[in-house]
Amino acid sequence: MKFIADIHIHSRFSRATSRNMNVEQLYIAAQLKGITVLATGDITHPEWFKEISEKLEPAEPGLFKLKSNIAVYFDKYVPESCRRAVRFLLSSEVSNIYKKHGKTHKIHNLLFLPDIASVKTLNQKLGSIGNISSDGRPILGLDARNLLEILLETNDQSFLIPAHIWTPWFSLLGSKSGFDSIRDCFDDLTDQIFAVETGLSSDPEMNWRVSFLDGLTLISNSDAHSPEKIGRECNIFNTDLSYPAIRTALQSGDENSFLGTYEFYSEQGKYHMDGHRNCKICFTPEMTLHYNGICPVCKKPLTIGVLNRVEMLSDKIKGDKPEKTHPFYFRVSLLEILSEICHSGYRSKKIQQYYMNVISHLGPELSVLDHIPICDIDMVGIPKLGEAIYRMRHGKLDIQPGYDGEFGKIQILI
Ligand SMILES: [Zn+2]
Ligand SMILES: [Zn+2]
């Protein structure tokens, strides 16, 4: 069956997350968006693990669902048009901060496990290495290769996916504290890495320029810290609904099982270009080169963004395609589109009303953005919405690119 999965999110136990990141709100948000499989995130955190163990129950192999005696109280918040089964995948993100060959590395890794007992075992092991209770995304002074080894020893069906591999800070290939290849990081266990998360600031085409990524499945997730952000990037699967089937699809990259990704426009990502946020300097890689990587305002080194970093590690020209690729589709979230139409923030009452109005009539957000006919969208009666979605689907929009932690700005209607 065809379904959408967002397998990197955070609970309210991670730093800087919304209070609403609880199991019930995730259950609602997944349906409004049109997502069938959602990561639990933060499963290494004792309190979140407890909540997950209490409120979820096993469904298909390796997947979990909200207990029906809880779900029944929350179905009323989901319009009929959006109701669907929601499944959870046990997962967490770990921040590995450690020294290797004299250099400090800070990288984020996503962990996936097929059962509660394995999570318990893993949490015991990680708890003896560092503090896993202070943050939903624990910081461990543990070599990423060793984390992978511990994970596989815990359960050989578990897997690790390096998170947002290009962001300057905290990523596998990041300009600030990453590595120059996957092998430099995972050594003898490199073959166990079969997928990487491209992150908001890069798209598959940029990743195609780096040949050591050829053959890996490029996945995309929201890394959501609040329910509204769920699904802003996500993956399309066509498999049985089960953990083993999802794992196999990611591992094989089979084009009939992994159908591709929905992508944020990479220019919109907050580390796309180089620059300094406080100095209001946003540079292309060429301009950074011209200024020798130094900010003309404060004279300190610029934060090198994803575009530049890809350029540094690339060994192929733009447009060169690996043998196996998956389709990808750029999307702008419905709240953002409505926000542009109405000139008001996406949390405003009017926008929230419009949002619910659209999805109650037409179905979940991702269907509206993807394929609901424009004439049907026009029927909802929100001025310019059909036109804006048409333009978004066809890439007819302007983007002021993001840099140094500042999100890019999108303008769809001109
Ligand atoms: Zn992260
Ligand atoms: Zn500066």
Side-chain angles (χ1 to χ4, degrees):
M1 90 183 232
K2 190 174 159 184
F3 63 90
I4 295 173
D6 181 355
I7 57 175
H8 179 184
I9 65 146
H10 290 281
S11 75
R12 66 186 183 284
F13 295 103
S14 278
R15 217 162 294 172
T17 52
S18 153
R19 259 181 309 152
N20 290 332
M21 292 305 260
N22 57 51
V23 178
E24 295 82 357
Q25 292 297 330
L26 294 178
Y27 169 76
I28 296 169
Q31 294 179 80
L32 305 187
K33 298 284 175 178
I35 284 166
T36 301
V37 174
L38 193 60
T40 60
D42 298 359
I43 200 69
T44 43
H45 191 274
E47 279 178 73
W48 185 239
F49 176 58
K50 189 165 168 270
E51 188 169 325
I52 293 289
S53 319
E54 284 169 2
K55 293 182 176 171
L56 302 187
E57 61 186 6
E60 298 78 9
L63 297 178
F64 296 79
K65 61 179 180 189
L66 185 61
K67 287 183 176 168
S68 51
N69 61 342
I70 305 175
V72 74
Y73 290 104
F74 294 89
D75 287 336
K76 62 174 177 280
Y77 299 105
V78 181
E80 296 272 0
S81 57
C82 298
R83 289 194 192 166
R84 64 179 54 235
V86 177
R87 297 293 182 257
F88 291 91
L89 190 58
L90 304 173
S91 78
S92 196
E93 184 183 37
V94 169
S95 179
N96 296 78
I97 302 189
Y98 59 105
K99 255 196 169 146
K100 187 172 180 179
H101 305 314
K103 195 184 163 205
T104 300
H105 295 282
K106 302 180 184 178
I107 70 175
H108 286 182
N109 289 295
L110 300 171
L111 313 180
F112 300 90
L113 297 110
D115 58 67
I116 293 277
S118 302
V119 174
K120 219 176 232 174
T121 311
L122 180 74
N123 288 358
Q124 271 160 5
K125 290 180 186 176
L126 297 183
S128 68
I129 292 168
N131 185 347
I132 55 169
S133 5
S134 66
D135 194 336
R137 181 180 53 217
I139 298 172
L140 298 176
L142 175 65
D143 190 308
R145 182 230 164 256
N146 298 342
L147 172 65
L148 175 54
E149 186 170 48
I150 292 169
L151 181 72
L152 293 173
E153 277 170 7
T154 304
N155 186 317
D156 62 5
Q157 289 308 298
S158 46
F159 57 98
L160 180 150
I161 298 182
H164 43 73
I165 56 169
W166 293 105
T167 44
W169 281 285
F170 306 113
S171 83
L172 176 62
L173 302 174
S175 61
K176 290 280 180 189
S177 43
F179 292 86
D180 289 341
S181 77
I182 299 184
R183 191 159 288 279
D184 287 351
C185 176
F186 289 102
D187 297 322
D188 56 318
L189 296 182
T190 301
D191 294 348
Q192 301 292 331
I193 304 294
F194 46 75
V196 293
E197 185 190 61
T198 58
L200 300 177
S201 298
S202 91
D203 58 44
E205 208 170 357
M206 290 164 71
N207 287 266
W208 295 347
R209 297 192 52 199
V210 180
S211 56
F212 66 74
L213 298 176
D214 288 357
L216 298 176
T217 303
L218 303 176
I219 69 164
S220 286
N221 300 296
S222 69
D223 198 351
H225 289 200
S226 60
E228 307 85 62
K229 299 280 172 14
I230 285 171
R232 60 182 165 177
E233 290 204 329
C234 48
N235 311 286
I236 313 160
F237 285 88
N238 183 28
T239 65
D240 292 345
L241 198 54
S242 78
Y243 177 98
I246 291 172
R247 186 182 184 281
T248 303
L250 292 171
Q251 188 170 24
S252 69
D254 173 53
E255 56 195 9
N256 297 315
S257 318
F258 186 79
L259 303 185
T261 53
Y262 287 122
E263 299 281 326
F264 218 59
Y265 278 93
S266 53
E267 294 89 342
Q268 209 188 346
K270 56 183 177 179
Y271 290 106
H272 186 74
M273 301 282 252
D274 307 332
H276 266 175
R277 172 144 68 154
N278 292 337
C279 308
K280 301 235 177 313
I281 291 292
C282 171
F283 279 176
T284 60
E286 293 74 28
M287 285 166 81
T288 300
L289 193 66
H290 178 77
Y291 283 92
N292 287 320
I294 300 298
C295 171
V297 177
C298 72
K299 314 289 179 209
K300 291 190 185 126
L302 293 163
T303 302
I304 301 303
V306 165
L307 188 64
N308 197 338
R309 184 65 181 154
V310 169
E311 199 76 44
M312 283 180 206
L313 296 185
S314 72
D315 51 0
K316 290 190 273 181
I317 52 162
K318 212 176 161 184
D320 224 349
K321 245 182 153 184
E323 221 169 278
K324 192 163 67 182
T325 58
H326 297 101
F328 58 98
Y329 313 94
F330 291 112
R331 293 290 175 257
V332 178
S333 83
L334 183 56
L335 285 171
E336 227 174 317
I337 295 173
L338 290 171
S339 181
E340 186 186 326
I341 291 173
C342 303
H343 306 287
S344 66
Y346 72 85
R347 283 181 204 278
S348 75
K349 216 172 169 184
K350 185 173 176 193
I351 304 255
Q352 294 295 329
Q353 268 168 3
Y354 270 175
Y355 182 85
M356 290 310 284
N357 194 2
V358 173
I359 64 172
S360 332
H361 280 94
L362 303 173
E365 173 178 346
L366 287 163
S367 308
V368 175
L369 297 179
D370 188 75
H371 58 256
I372 300 288
I374 300 297
C375 53
D376 293 353
I377 297 173
D378 283 336
M379 297 282 278
V380 179
I382 298 172
K384 295 192 182 165
L385 181 61
E387 186 193 343
I389 289 180
Y390 175 85
R391 293 183 63 88
M392 182 273 296
R393 285 181 189 168
H394 294 87
K396 293 177 188 293
L397 38 78
D398 282 331
I399 312 173
Q400 217 181 304
Y403 65 102
D404 195 26
E406 183 87 17
F407 275 110
K409 289 175 189 69
I410 279 209
Q411 196 188 354
I412 301 175
L413 295 163
I414 294 160

